[in-house]
Amino acid sequence: MNISQDEWQQLRSLSDTELKRRVFRILQTAAASIQEQGTEDPRLLEVVPRLAELFASKPELKDLREALSSLARATGLWNYIDKDVAATADLLVAETVTVPELDGVTLHREQVAALNDLLAGRNLILSAPTSFGKSLLIDALLASGKYSRVAIVLPTIALLDEFRRRLKRRFVERFELIMHPGDKPTEGSATIFLGTQERLINRTDLGKLDLTVVDEFYKLDPNRRDERSITLNAAVSKLLNRSNQFFFLGPNIDDVRFSGEGRWKFEFLRTRFSTVAVDTYDLGGVAEKEARLFDEIAEDRHWPALVFVSAPDKANRLASRAAEQMAISDGSADFAQWLSDNVGSGWSLVQTVRFGFGVHHGRLPRAIASQMVRMFNQKDLPVLFCTSTLIEGVNTAAKTVLIFDKSINRSDYDFFTYSNIKGRAGRLGEHHVGQVYLFNEPPQHELTAVAPTLFGDQDEAPDDYVVQLDEQETTKGTYTRVASLKIALGLDAAGLRLAAAVGLEAALALKQAVPKALGRRAALVWSGVPKYGEIFAVVEVICSVRRATEFGAFTPSQLTFLINALRLAPSMRHFLITYDGKYEGKPEAHDNVFKFLRACEYGLPQYFAVVEMFVKQHAQGADYSLFIQSISRWFKPEELKNLDEEGVPIQISERFHKGEDKDGLANKLLRLAREGSQHLTAFERKWILAALE
């Protein structure tokens, strides 16, 4: 079956009679194709979403809705069966695969096949397009009643929060959700552990697990140059050793490689089954690409639209230029005012948001990034300039994706990444036909294979991974390597694991730097609350191994200044407004302060802890534990940081915190928002309700 993109678009301009005739012919041809060739042809599968999109805007086609439902049943796209008009046989299929516990969602053929494998107890690795509905399978497993203790590994805090909100809404009565490091499960309760690899690898209360789920599993492959890959592999290895079953899911993977002995058996299901269709437009030959980009995003027929660019600075810069040329929304002024009042009026994003443009990249605070996506999905921010961070599972309702750049941080992206970005166009139930605009030639098609470290030969695994293994996992070769590392670094097993958090090579460099600094009488031996010079002494050692820019500062002196300013600030709002008032750098780099705040959460605490270990090898008086614990939560109560991860910005929650625990503070904020408290703006009340209800 072969209908061109142009032919589909021409259907919209046909008169009633001619339109009916053409659509009826398409339905006939599709039915004949199924009889002759089966249902695997992707061009056949896309007929259903394309017709569904057409039917939604052409009421004159209502007499053909039953025929479309029959085609949906035949192709396995059972979620497109219209239960109001479907024939009895089609309706029976739809009802059979509808899950009441999941808000009445109807599954499609490939979802049911995967679910059957999982409910039969088999380990499954699923590779499917973004529009497949992979997260629904996780929810369906939880709804089955078969699993009572589950660990779910997710790549980002943003995705953790998205899962938290969805699972809480559906399963709050059935499961206890454990997401923050300080959360503790109740003995005997059904529990879901939600965490990034860094959090789950350090949990000691996991117990025996019924199921381990790993989302975006391609990140297990060290060849994807993700610096967190080693920790991910170590965390997943730990989980699989205590789990009865596992389920890995991700997009566009062609093969999974493993060593011959294969400690874990699994089924690999690769499918290209997509629930939406995509139109692709080549703008690679356009001379003035930026001008053309702005012309396209000015058209409301594209909204909501994602614009993919290579790096955070460029996303900020392009969004700012777009806002200088046009205003595309009147629903984002309150958000812009909030950013001005709580982050700083000098931040270029204030004006960007005011005129309807959002930005999403790794430097943004999580609660603000979450609000950006929420307002994008609601069309209050019709255009979102984003980097590759948005392809890591966060759900968006994008109708159009404009791929403006062909690189990520100066390296050309591969076909796998390109496919993931492209897969963001279209959303089941909202935009059955997505649009992709290419401003550069796409990378050549190539197969993508994933080779997780934990599936490989342990004797060939990197040292940073090997030191994380439980003793029963080690081989004679890895045992010998670990023993040698203990001697070289002067650390026990727990110390090696901590050193691996910064990388054993960096840890060795720190071990060598510490005695040199002590020889210069650097103030490394301190405990409790450090003085300014004592912080600086440790920062100097850290920055002899890692550049200050990796922590959001230009020099060790500036990094120390920022740490101290954050420590002394009476509130996060005060810290950010003060920073804004003194900032003199490039507008697009203003939000580097958030890179510093991320480093305070993870990065700096680990480096301070490793330096402390090596200082103790020379002087027993060092104890950085209070400082490390404090900096990891921005020197604020832990409840505020935890709520920030759940979508309530700390600038709001810190105004109301009077010593309550997280749940108590969340309930207070909810009550104030529901009552219309004048201590919250109308915008803040909506924000709180969206994040916590």
Side-chain angles (χ1 to χ4, degrees), residues 137-148:
L137 292 178
I138 300 173
D139 293 6
L141 290 174
L142 298 174
S144 72
K146 182 178 179 181
Y147 308 93
S148 62

Side-chain angles (χ1 to χ4, degrees), residues 32-53:
S33 179
I34 292 172
Q35 293 295 323
E36 295 171 6
Q37 302 174 13
T39 59
E40 301 306 315
D41 184 352
R43 293 171 298 180
L44 172 63
L45 290 174
E46 73 173 26
V47 168
V48 173
R50 286 188 181 278
L51 287 180
E53 182 91 348

Side-chain angles (χ1 to χ4, degrees), residues 273-317:
F273 196 89
S274 179
T275 59
V276 300
V278 175
D279 288 334
T280 303
Y281 302 89
D282 183 2
L283 301 181
V286 172
E288 298 295 331
K289 291 185 178 180
E290 185 174 305
R292 180 59 182 272
L293 172 67
F294 292 163
D295 286 344
E296 294 294 343
I297 61 177
E299 299 283 343
D300 59 5
R301 61 189 173 87
H302 292 317
W303 301 343
L306 292 176
V307 181
F308 171 79
V309 294
S310 57
D313 280 358
K314 189 167 184 181
N316 292 343
R317 191 164 56 248

